[in-house]
Amino acid sequence: MNMTQVFYQEKRKFICQRCGRCCRGPGVVKLADGEAERIAAFLNVSVERFVAEFTELHPRRICLVLQARADGGCRFLAGKNVCQINPVKPAQCDGFPHRWQFPGWREMCVAVETEG
Ligand code: SF4
Ligand code: SF4
């Protein structure tokens, strides 16, 4: 996902169409405090192993990010746009596009806006 110029629109709701584009786009998936521990527990591996095998340092060294595949997609994206860690996915993933967006996001995301 593109993480530049993030902003929030708390009141808007969207229904994700599971196109998977946000999991394949440029940018990084940042891990917030506690998320490495939560994902490691879900994967049933130690935190040390999860960090070593599934994460890397943010380009600006501000946090850990999920590793990307060679094609740039998230390494946890599988099959027909299935997130392998969906129940514990990072808040960055969970919040798009409900809680944050980026300039030009509508050219990529086909989520349907809803009233409720
Ligand atoms: S963690 Fe899941 S939702 Fe987030 S980018 Fe990776 S595959 Fe997509
Ligand atoms: S780009 Fe939008 S519609 Fe497609 S998977 Fe991501 S949030 Fe859902």
Side-chain angles (χ1 to χ4, degrees):
M1 292 185 208
N2 187 331
M3 281 297 290
T4 57
Q5 295 180 272
V6 172
F7 63 97
Y8 292 83
Q9 286 187 311
E10 299 281 0
K11 292 180 181 165
R12 294 176 73 179
K13 304 274 186 210
F14 297 88
I15 300 172
C16 173
Q17 302 300 299
R18 298 186 66 180
C19 71
R21 291 188 192 121
C22 60
C23 306
R24 293 194 187 85
V28 295
V29 180
K30 293 196 283 189
L31 292 178
D33 286 351
E35 290 185 335
E37 290 80 0
R38 194 174 60 165
I39 299 170
F42 179 77
L43 296 173
N44 200 26
V45 299
S46 68
V47 176
E48 292 76 15
R49 182 176 166 199
F50 172 73
V51 168
E53 295 186 15
F54 297 96
T55 75
E56 58 195 27
L57 202 52
H58 186 284
R60 286 187 280 117
R61 306 176 73 84
I62 56 175
C63 64
L64 291 175
V65 302
L66 295 182
Q67 286 181 5
R69 305 185 304 221
D71 67 1
C74 176
R75 70 170 293 170
F76 287 108
L77 185 66
K80 191 168 169 43
N81 301 327
V82 175
C83 173
Q84 295 174 295
I85 57 171
N86 190 56
V88 293
K89 63 189 175 189
Q92 176 181 322
C93 306
D94 194 46
F96 178 79
H98 314 280
R99 292 191 291 276
W100 69 273
Q101 302 156 354
F102 55 88
W105 74 280
R106 258 307 184 199
E107 293 158 26
M108 175 199 78
C109 177
V110 293
V112 177
E113 189 162 6
T114 176
E115 294 295 316

